[in-house]
Structure formats: structure tokens, C-alpha cells
Amino acid sequence: MKNEHNDSDQSDVAGYISSDSSFYGDADDGAQLEEQTLQRFDPASYWSRHPHLLQVVAAKCRATSEAADSSSTKPLYNPYEGHISGRQLTESVEDFLERLPPLTTRVSPDCPWIYVANPHARSRPTDRDGAGFTSAAEALLQEFAKKREAIETQMGGKAKGSITRKLTPLRQRLEEKLLSLAKETHFTSGKWMLFPYPADVNSQWAIVATAVVNGELGTAAKVAPSDGSGEKSSRVICIYTRDFADMADVKRVLGRLVELGLTRKHDERGIYYKADAFTELGITGGNDLGLKPSMYSSKEWLNGRKK
């Protein structure tokens, strides 16, 4: 085969290129140009302009793009993957809703709740110390119970209102300690709670599940299946956020629930936000400790009574 780049081709052009040739001239010219350049160069001026140089800006843009590409490959989040009661990542929202309609799905050991997660959630509570929180919280509750018993014994025979006023600051300090402990143990999740009537539970859950998967609400949501009591009692839907202390995020989720038509500004019932820490301790309405189970109310925020 003929060599297209043979020696004769190279010899033809050899005469046009001299080994002594220089783009800047001969050695004396190069030295003179280098000296002039060094005399004119101002390091301070160069570094002040450095961040705005085109090649520097381009390099930063490439780095940002690469970082974004890297973060976009983060595995999707689903703590309910493999559980029959939760939406699977390979399952469309429509198929999930058809498989587990809350109105007719019966509660069971395998399906105590029906769950859906935000697959792109930033918060992934793998470092939560539930056991540590519960143990320390129980100690705080026992301490409060002893103080309350001592006050009630000391003030025996006095008006109930007087005893309540005496206990109020102790309850407030207990709540503060419990919430502080929840932060220390990373037990910070909480939820807005809806209580739809059975006739509305499928439609409301469909709105919530779709919005959660689309990243419009919080980290996850769950709805109570049917307990067989019929259509007289209301159901509960919980919409979770990652941190009860992140009031901007808690309020954002509330605002989106309003936009989705799941609650209204002047709704007499309102909806309430509860920390999971209080749920873990079994603190419900009318509890023996007299603690307020919920942290926030939609009526307070939507009507401007809470900032």
C-alpha cells in the first residue's frame, strides 16, 4: 500500500521551515520583549481582574455544571421500597392510588398506613436516635410528674385554677426541653394533619400523593386505611416536613396545601402541625400531663396571628 505521508512529501516542505526561526524574532528580540513585559506587568491589577477573565468565568461554569450533573445522579429516596403499603419507585402515582385506595383498603399488620415519599427529598433521617430520644424524654416526663404531684399535694384544697397557674411555667419548660432533646437526637420531623371525611379521603389523598412525589410538599405523607368502622369517622392524612424548627419550610408546605384546596384561610376546623417527637411519646389531646400536642395551627398563621 502506498504511504500517503512518505519521506518525499516531508522533504518538499522542509525548506520552508527553519530550525532557527522564531515567532518573536531572534534571541535578542525575545529578550527585549520579555524585559518590557516584566516592567509593565502589575500583579495587583492582574489578580483584581482575574475573577472576571473570560477563561476563569468559563472554568467556573464548567465546574458548576459538573457538580450539578453529579448531584442529579443521587439515588432516589424511598424508605418504603419493598413494603406493600408504600408506593414503589417503579410505580406510577396512578397505579399506586389504584392499588391502595384508602377508602376501601383495610388496615392490617402489613398495611397499618399507606405511605408515599418524595423521591428527591434532601432530608434522609438515617441519623435519628429514636431510642436515645425516648429514653431521655421519659426521664423528663417522670421528673415533671413528680413536681406536679408535689405541687398538687402542697396546694391541696385550693382552686383548680390556682394549681394550673402554678403548673403552667413547668409545662412550658418541659415542652422546651423535649423539643431541644428532639433536635439533639435529630428527631426533628413533624407533620401537618388533615382529617377528611371518608367520602373525600380518596380524592384528597390523590392530591397529596401526587404533590409529594412531584416535590411540592414535604418529605413524605401517609393516610389511614379503613378500620372497618364504616363511613362515619373521619380519616387522617399526615404531610411530613423534615424539621419542625424550620418555620419557613413548615409555612411553605401549609401555603401549598391552601393552593391545592386542602385547607382554607377561614376554615373553622383548621389543620394542625405536630412534632413526631410528641407522637412518639403518645402525647395526644387531653393527655394527663396537660401538654399541648400540636405546635402550630393553620388558623394562627393564615389569619396573621403567628409570624
Side-chain angles (χ1 to χ4, degrees):
M1 179 182 291
K2 181 180 179 181
N3 183 357
E4 296 180 357
H5 301 287
N6 56 35
D7 293 339
S8 62
D9 292 334
Q10 294 176 12
S11 62
D12 290 342
V13 299
Y16 293 97
I17 302 177
S18 169
S19 61
D20 295 330
S21 68
S22 171
F23 182 81
Y24 295 107
D26 58 24
D28 291 339
D29 292 336
Q32 183 177 1
L33 287 171
E34 183 176 355
E35 179 66 22
Q36 292 175 355
T37 300
L38 290 173
Q39 290 177 355
R40 292 196 298 266
F41 180 65
D42 181 0
S45 175
Y46 170 79
W47 286 111
S48 68
R49 293 182 289 107
H50 183 267
H52 308 291
L53 296 176
L54 180 61
Q55 61 268 37
V56 176
V57 174
K60 288 182 178 179
C61 288
R62 285 195 300 272
T64 301
S65 177
E66 290 169 1
D69 291 342
S70 175
S71 64
S72 65
T73 61
K74 186 176 182 179
L76 296 178
Y77 172 68
N78 188 17
Y80 316 118
E81 195 72 11
H83 296 276
I84 192 173
S85 58
R87 173 188 174 262
Q88 306 301 291
L89 290 174
T90 56
E91 188 175 32
S92 70
V93 176
E94 292 76 12
D95 288 345
F96 164 66
L97 294 171
E98 183 176 354
R99 178 170 65 88
L100 294 171
L103 179 62
T104 54
T105 300
R106 292 297 296 270
V107 65
S108 70
D110 291 332
C111 189
W113 293 87
I114 300 171
Y115 302 93
V116 66
N118 175 358
H120 306 287
R122 292 187 296 115
S123 176
R124 307 187 176 191
T126 56
D127 56 349
R128 173 187 289 184
D129 183 9
F133 168 78
T134 302
S135 176
E138 290 291 351
L140 291 174
L141 296 178
Q142 291 174 11
E143 179 186 5
F144 171 80
K146 291 179 180 179
K147 291 181 179 179
R148 181 186 62 180
E149 183 179 359
I151 290 174
E152 290 175 344
T153 300
Q154 180 184 2
M155 300 181 65
K158 293 192 176 181
K160 186 177 180 180
S162 299
I163 299 176
T164 299
R165 285 192 293 272
K166 186 75 173 181
L167 290 173
T168 295
L170 293 180
R171 288 194 178 99
Q172 291 174 342
R173 284 196 291 272
L174 174 60
E175 290 179 1
E176 292 170 359
K177 289 179 180 179
L178 290 174
L179 294 177
S180 177
L181 177 62
K183 293 178 184 178
E184 292 173 10
T185 54
H186 306 286
F187 210 127
T188 58
S189 58
K191 64 270 187 181
W192 283 108
M193 297 176 291
L194 305 174
F195 294 92
Y197 295 111
D200 301 321
V201 67
N202 277 0
S203 59
Q204 291 197 17
W205 174 240
I207 294 171
V208 168
T210 302
V212 167
V213 172
N214 291 339
E216 300 173 33
L217 292 173
T219 57
K222 70 181 183 181
V223 60
S226 171
D227 61 2
S229 62
E231 300 185 4
K232 295 182 179 179
S233 58
S234 61
R235 302 288 185 86
V236 60
I237 297 175
C238 298
I239 300 98
Y240 288 89
T241 74
R242 64 182 182 83
D243 186 353
F244 58 74
D246 187 348
M247 296 180 68
D249 185 53
V250 173
K251 192 170 185 178
R252 177 193 65 79
V253 172
L254 172 61
R256 186 62 182 138
L257 291 174
V258 172
E259 293 171 351
L260 292 171
L262 296 170
T263 188
R264 298 190 301 273
K265 182 175 181 179
H266 300 293
D267 191 341
E268 292 183 2
R269 297 174 68 190
I271 62 174
Y272 295 87
Y273 184 96
K274 185 177 183 180
D276 280 351
F278 277 28
T279 299
E280 181 72 12
L281 296 174
I283 299 175
T284 58
N287 60 86
D288 293 339
L289 299 172
L291 295 175
K292 183 180 178 183
S294 61
M295 293 184 67
Y296 313 124
S297 162
S298 64
K299 292 185 290 186
E300 291 178 340
W301 270 346
L302 297 177
N303 294 323
R305 295 198 298 271
K306 190 175 186 67
K307 302 298 185 182

